[in-house]
Structure formats: structure tokens, C-alpha cells
Amino acid sequence: MPKSFQSIFGIALLVTPSVAFAASSGGHPSIADVLPFWPNFLFFCLVVFLIARNPFRSYWRHRREKIEGAVLAGARELEQAEAKLKEARDQFPQAEFVVESSDIRVFSDDDYRKQGFT
């Protein structure tokens, strides 16, 4: 929807007397007073949905692409690290690689042992 329509709709919403209903003097409204507002509320929800649909879609699409990019970058870095480890083992076959304990682990202890770490 064009921005001018959104602006006109926003101004029209602000100047309608139904917005000032809560500030009016008088008693509490009965159910008969509230019923006519349901179609207006549903119309408002529809308009908000139509206006906000594309920004929400683009936000989640961008977020998904960002997460996918981060996961793929992590997978590439893991492959590069494994290649560097293989290169180091080939260059220094007598070396013993030690993994120090840490609270943050990428692999389990068994996986490290299978790779030849102590």
C-alpha cells in the first residue's frame, strides 16, 4: 500500500469520535454499545495485517538468510580447521595433540579421542 494511504488512514483513525470513547463522561457501556465496535476492530486488524505483512515477511526472510549464512560459514570454518589439522599431522607425525578441558565443547570427548587427541 502506498505511504499516502497509510498516512490518510492514520489521520482518519485519530480524528474519529470512537477513539475518544474512553474519555467520554457517562456510565459503563453495555454490551449493545460494544457490539458495533467489533466490525471496526476486525477492520482495523485486517488493515494492520495488510500494512505489516510485507515488513514482517522481509524481516523473517532476512533473519533466515542471515542464520543460514552463519551456519554455512561455520561449516566452512570447520572443514578448514579439519584440513589444517590433517596438514599439521602430516607435517609433524610424531607430535601429540592435546585438547585442554573447557566448558564449551564442539565435540564430545569420544569424538576427540577418535581423532587422536588426548
Side-chain angles (χ1 to χ4, degrees), residues 7-60:
S7 301
I8 292 170
F9 181 75
I11 292 169
L13 185 64
L14 289 176
V15 296
T16 57
S18 64
V19 174
F21 180 70
S24 66
S25 62
H28 296 286
S30 68
I31 190 69
D33 294 335
V34 177
L35 284 179
F37 295 103
W38 280 106
N40 289 337
F41 177 71
L42 293 175
F43 176 72
F44 172 74
C45 289
L46 175 68
V47 170
V48 167
F49 171 75
L50 292 175
I51 291 172
R53 177 177 49 184
N54 289 334
F56 279 126
R57 239 187 240 159
S58 64
Y59 168 76
W60 288 110

Side-chain angles (χ1 to χ4, degrees), residues 2-108:
K3 292 282 186 186
S4 61
F5 176 76
Q6 293 174 2
S7 301
I8 292 170
F9 181 75
I11 292 169
L13 185 64
L14 289 176
V15 296
T16 57
S18 64
V19 174
F21 180 70
S24 66
S25 62
H28 296 286
S30 68
I31 190 69
D33 294 335
V34 177
L35 284 179
F37 295 103
W38 280 106
N40 289 337
F41 177 71
L42 293 175
F43 176 72
F44 172 74
C45 289
L46 175 68
V47 170
V48 167
F49 171 75
L50 292 175
I51 291 172
R53 177 177 49 184
N54 289 334
F56 279 126
R57 239 187 240 159
S58 64
Y59 168 76
W60 288 110
R61 184 179 307 119
H62 174 69
R63 181 168 168 77
R64 183 186 67 230
E65 291 169 356
K66 188 175 178 181
I67 291 171
E68 285 175 351
V71 169
L72 291 175
R76 281 192 303 271
E77 289 180 13
L78 181 60
E79 289 175 4
Q80 290 173 354
E82 289 172 351
K84 293 271 187 187
L85 176 62
K86 185 175 180 341
E87 181 182 315
R89 283 202 176 146
D90 292 343
Q91 190 174 7
F92 305 104
Q94 71 281 5
E96 181 179 322
F97 296 93
V98 178
V99 177
E100 296 183 9
S101 63
S102 172
D103 293 336
I104 302 170
R105 287 312 252 311
V106 178
F107 303 107
S108 67

